[in-house]
Amino acid sequence: MIARPHRSIGEVLILLQEEFSEITISKIRFLESQGLLDPERTPSGYRKFYERDIATLRWILEQQRDHFLPLKVIKTKLEESDGEVPGTVAESAVPSVDEILSSVANAAGQKDSPASSSQQPTDAADGDATRAFSGSVSMTADELADAASIDRSAIDELEKFGMLSSRSAGSTQIYDDDALVVARLVSGFLARGLEPRHVRMYKLATDREADVFEQIITPRRKSGSHDSRDEAVRAIDELAKLGAELRSALLRQSLRGAV
C-alpha cells in the first residue's frame, strides 16, 4: 500500500500534540481562518496537510510558545519568508518579546513630536485594527489567549477584574502590548495552580500604589513644561522599580518559614 503524501487534520493533531500540549483542532482551524495556514482541500472539503504545511504550523506554534509573538507579527514573518519553509527562518530573524516591547517604548516616546502627531490615526474606522494603537502589539481576545497560552475564559475574567483593558476597533475589541505582558505573567500563575480571581490581589494593590504615586507626580505634571513631564515619567519608572523590589523582599521575608 502506497503511503499518502499528506495527513488529515486529526493526524496532524496527534503528530504535534506531544510537543504542543495546547494544540487543538479548533486552534488549527482558527490559524487557518486568520490566513496563517492554507492547506489543500479534497473535493469533499477535507484538509490535506503536506510536510510544508506541518512545518509551517510547527513554526507558528513555536513562535507563540517560545517567543510569545502575537499572530499579526507571526503572519508578517510568514509573508516575509519569500516561499521558504518558516522552520528554516533564522532564529535571529525572530524578535523576542523584549525587542517588541522596546520598539513599543520607542514609538511611545516619539508620538508627542509634531511630525508623529500629525500622522497618528485617531480611530480604526477603516477596519485596520493595528491602527488603534501606536505600539506594535495589537490583537483580538482570541489572539491574546493564544499568545499567552491561556483559556479565552481567563481573558474575560481578567478584563472583568480590571486587569486587562481593550479598545474598540469597529466591532472588535483590541488589546495592546501591556495586555500581552499582563496575560503572559498571569499565565505563569495559572500554570502553578492559581486562578484569575487569586491574582486580582495584584490589581487591588497596584491601584492603591498608583493612588499614592499620583499624589507625588501630579504637581510636577501640572507645571506644563516638557521637562516636568519627563521628570514625572522618570519618577514613575523609579518608583515602580523600587516598589517591585520591595514587594519581592517583603514576600520572601513573609514566606521564609514556609519553605
Side-chain angles (χ1 to χ4, degrees):
M1 179 177 179
I2 300 176
R4 287 184 290 116
H6 59 81
R7 298 175 187 261
S8 68
I9 191 170
E11 292 169 332
V12 171
L13 179 67
I14 294 172
L15 177 67
L16 299 180
Q17 205 159 31
E18 184 174 349
E19 184 179 357
F20 304 98
S21 59
E22 75 282 2
I23 191 173
T24 62
I25 288 179
S26 294
K27 180 167 185 176
I28 296 173
R29 289 171 175 163
F30 174 73
L31 293 174
E32 181 182 358
S33 72
Q34 299 302 302
L36 284 88
L37 294 172
D38 187 23
E40 186 181 326
R41 299 278 188 136
T42 66
S44 55
Y46 291 102
R47 296 169 178 82
K48 298 163 63 176
F49 289 83
Y50 291 87
E51 288 305 315
R52 182 182 183 84
D53 300 313
I54 297 171
T56 300
L57 175 57
R58 177 179 276 111
W59 183 83
I60 292 169
L61 297 174
E62 286 174 349
Q63 304 319 300
Q64 289 187 303
R65 182 192 64 191
D66 301 338
H67 303 285
F68 318 130
L69 295 185
L71 294 185
K72 290 185 182 298
V73 176
I74 294 174
K75 187 174 183 180
T76 298
K77 289 294 176 184
L78 287 171
E79 292 170 348
E80 292 174 350
S81 64
D82 294 328
E84 295 293 325
V85 177
T88 65
V89 174
E91 186 71 16
S92 60
V94 181
S96 65
V97 170
D98 288 341
E99 290 170 332
I100 292 175
L101 297 185
S102 176
S103 67
V104 171
N106 290 337
Q110 296 171 359
K111 69 178 181 181
D112 289 328
S113 67
S116 60
S117 296
S118 64
Q119 298 171 5
Q120 183 70 20
T122 57
D123 59 64
D126 60 355
D128 185 354
T130 62
R131 295 187 183 183
F133 296 95
S134 61
S136 63
V137 175
S138 178
M139 60 185 69
T140 65
D142 287 329
E143 290 175 338
L144 180 61
D146 280 339
S149 298
I150 60 179
D151 292 338
R152 168 60 193 275
S153 60
I155 298 294
D156 295 337
E157 284 192 74
L158 291 173
E159 186 154 14
K160 181 180 70 175
F161 294 147
M163 298 186 67
L164 292 176
S165 60
S166 60
R167 297 185 186 181
S168 297
S171 60
T172 303
Q173 294 301 117
I174 299 297
Y175 298 82
D176 65 4
D177 47 284
D178 284 333
L180 173 59
V181 173
V182 170
R184 281 300 311 175
L185 291 172
V186 169
S187 72
F189 285 97
L190 302 186
R192 289 160 178 80
L194 276 73
E195 299 177 13
R197 60 187 175 88
H198 296 139
V199 295
R200 186 187 182 190
M201 62 181 176
Y202 289 98
K203 170 62 175 172
L204 299 176
T206 300
D207 286 344
R208 289 194 294 268
E209 192 174 21
D211 287 341
V212 174
F213 290 174
E214 188 171 5
Q215 295 175 28
I216 301 172
I217 301 303
T218 299
R220 305 181 191 181
R221 191 182 62 222
K222 284 185 176 179
S223 68
S225 71
H226 187 74
D227 290 342
S228 297
R229 181 184 179 281
D230 288 344
E231 182 183 349
V233 171
R234 285 194 297 271
I236 291 173
D237 288 341
E238 292 168 0
L239 289 169
K241 290 176 183 177
L242 288 171
E245 293 175 6
L246 181 58
R247 281 193 299 276
S248 180
L250 291 174
L251 187 59
R252 287 195 302 270
Q253 181 175 283
S254 298
L255 295 175
R256 188 171 296 156
V259 293

